[in-house]
Amino acid sequence: MSFAELNVWTFIMVFAVLLASMLVAAALKRFIPALNKTLVPVSVLGGILLLIISTIVYFAAGDYLFNLPVFGSPAESDADKSISGMQMLELITYHCLGIGFIASGMRNTKKKFNKKRAGEIFDSGIVTVNGYLIQAFGGLIITIIAAWALHTNGLISAAGILLAFGFGQGTGQALNYGKIYENDYGFAGGSNFGLTVAALGFLVACIGGVIYINVMKKRGMIKIDTTKKRSTLADYEDENEIPAVSSMDKMTVQFAIVLVVYAISFGIMYGLSALLPSLADTLFGFNFLIGVILTIPAKAILNKLYDKGIVKKRIINNYMMDRISGLAFDIMIVAGVAAIQLPLLAEYWAVLLIMAVYGTIVTFVYVNFVSKKLFGAYRHEQFLAFFGMLTGTASTGMILLREIDGSYRTPASENLVYQSLPAIVFGFPLMFLAPYAATSDLAALITCIVVGACFVVLNLLLFRRTIFKKTYARYLSRHGDAEDEDPSPSAGGAGDEADGAEPTDSMQE
């Protein structure tokens, strides 16, 4: 192999262009005030720039930007294992999803919440899953109708569930399931369909969020927070951590841990796919989930080593893990948007736009209703956090939140961070429903019914206090005399009063 050959440089060139596009996007946001006000993330804007250039190159030269020889040419035969630049973008998106989630999962979480705050975080997780469910429900109805009645070429009935992955979970998940649908179930252009849904979701999050902020500001209901949270040493390093610079750099240690966990997750997926070859693509679509699950025993082992005194210094640094996940997610988004091949979606544009409009409206209405009912003390902050996350990613939610709560005075930011555990617990079945939905038109319809039923049940759980309070009140009205004879107060009533009296962590601070 000669270092002068193009294929030696293709990997570097792809990354260089991705990162350069973000630098250009950051400069555009800096010098174009109107663009800066949209709050579109730099990674999304960089991806859109590359998407525009790639589409122009396609119509001018007959192929996409990243299929030019400098980025890697497509394989000329089945025996040729080389990959094109467009395929490399999909690989980058796929692996950055797993790396980003593992880095987030390896963070140390020492904070303890009182009963009221724990309840709010639990409710936040349920709201997140309900957002997925209501998006999936409507998306499935749209694509079931389109596939059955309109006979859209290549579209499968289950495609609508990609609305939940694209809007609700972002680029990586939309690509994963779009690819599974494309490879295993004959959905022509499935990966592009999923990536486009995710890209539309980012635009909805940022533009819709800005409109909401401006409308509420004009009504005098919110104020733009110009203060910023002051950084302290505790934001960058905990007590008794390994030194930043020693025989092995601290960042190297963090990245090594993330990649080792990811490598172990590959081993598990590979072993399971050998036992269940028909589920190989589905299993490898869970790369991020298996990685996150592995962070639990990994942290438990480290904590045991600390407790036994075998390891004296704390190894994990939350700040650096955040930077690893931030880098991974930025690259994932810009690569995912740049990988969209617009000409392949010519037959799906009507369905995509209807899904995007539905996803926008239903997410806005549901999140606004829940924020008003359950998070009244910081309704607008929680709305922006939820809306940004359920149409983009958690980072998008934080971007919108910072506009009115830059110093994080309300618990909305904590709800966004810590809701992931209950969201994973309740949302886990949806990930298994998605492959089943694609097996047949009937399976898609059954999945739609199951998703709708789960949405109803989880909302009963979410509004349990209000529902059971009314039930208890009716019980008292019917058995009031018997209750009066009982001198002991009800545990539920005392608990509710105690909960209402407890201040939040942010108030205590």
Side-chain angles (χ1 to χ4, degrees), residues 295-494:
T295 63
I296 298 173
K299 290 192 291 186
I301 292 171
L302 286 175
N303 288 333
K304 199 70 175 178
L305 294 175
Y306 299 145
D307 294 340
K308 295 290 186 180
I310 299 173
V311 176
K312 305 295 183 182
K313 297 284 187 179
R314 294 275 169 180
I315 296 175
I316 302 299
N317 178 270
N318 286 350
Y319 176 77
M320 290 185 176
M321 285 295 180
D322 285 340
R323 301 290 63 78
I324 293 173
S325 64
L327 173 63
F329 289 143
D330 277 343
I331 294 176
M332 177 193 76
I333 292 169
V334 68
V337 177
I340 297 172
Q341 301 174 47
L342 293 179
L344 296 181
L345 299 170
E347 295 189 39
Y348 301 146
W349 275 115
V351 175
L352 281 166
L353 291 177
I354 293 171
M355 284 174 57
V357 170
Y358 166 81
T360 302
I361 294 173
V362 75
T363 305
F364 182 95
V365 172
Y366 180 72
V367 168
N368 189 46
F369 174 77
V370 170
S371 299
K372 181 179 179 181
K373 293 294 183 181
L374 299 181
F375 305 93
Y378 49 99
R379 165 192 172 185
H380 300 293
E381 290 84 356
Q382 192 61 62
F383 168 83
L384 289 171
F386 276 149
F387 183 75
M389 177 180 63
L390 287 172
T391 50
T393 62
S395 298
T396 316
M398 293 296 286
I399 289 171
L400 294 176
L401 176 62
R402 282 200 297 264
E403 290 298 303
I404 64 173
D405 188 14
S407 56
Y408 303 136
R409 290 169 296 143
T410 68
S413 60
E414 289 180 346
N415 293 346
L416 196 63
V417 171
Y418 294 106
Q419 57 77 34
S420 57
L421 180 58
I424 288 175
V425 171
F426 287 104
F428 189 73
L430 179 64
M431 298 176 186
F432 287 101
L433 277 174
Y436 166 74
T439 56
S440 67
D441 292 339
L442 179 60
L445 182 60
I446 293 173
T447 301
C448 185
I449 295 170
V450 171
V451 165
C454 290
F455 178 74
V456 173
V457 171
L458 286 183
N459 272 290
L460 291 175
L461 179 61
L462 182 63
F463 293 101
R464 61 196 178 279
R465 300 179 188 89
T466 303
I467 294 170
F468 293 123
K469 183 178 180 181
K470 291 180 179 178
T471 303
Y472 184 64
R474 285 196 296 269
Y475 175 82
L476 285 179
S477 66
R478 294 176 183 175
H479 305 84
D481 294 339
E483 291 294 327
D484 290 340
E485 293 174 3
D486 186 359
S488 61
S490 73

Side-chain angles (χ1 to χ4, degrees), residues 143 146-147 152-163 174-197 344-345 347-349 351-352 355 434 438:
T143 52
T152 304
N153 292 332
L155 184 70
I156 62 174
S157 298
I161 208 168
L162 292 176
L163 180 62
L175 173 64
N176 276 2
Y177 283 94
K179 201 71 175 176
I180 291 171
Y181 284 1
E182 183 174 339
N183 292 340
D184 296 349
Y185 302 104
F187 180 16
S191 57
N192 279 279
F193 191 96
L195 290 172
T196 304
V197 171
L344 296 181
L345 299 170
E347 295 189 39
Y348 301 146
W349 275 115
V351 175
L352 281 166
M355 284 174 57

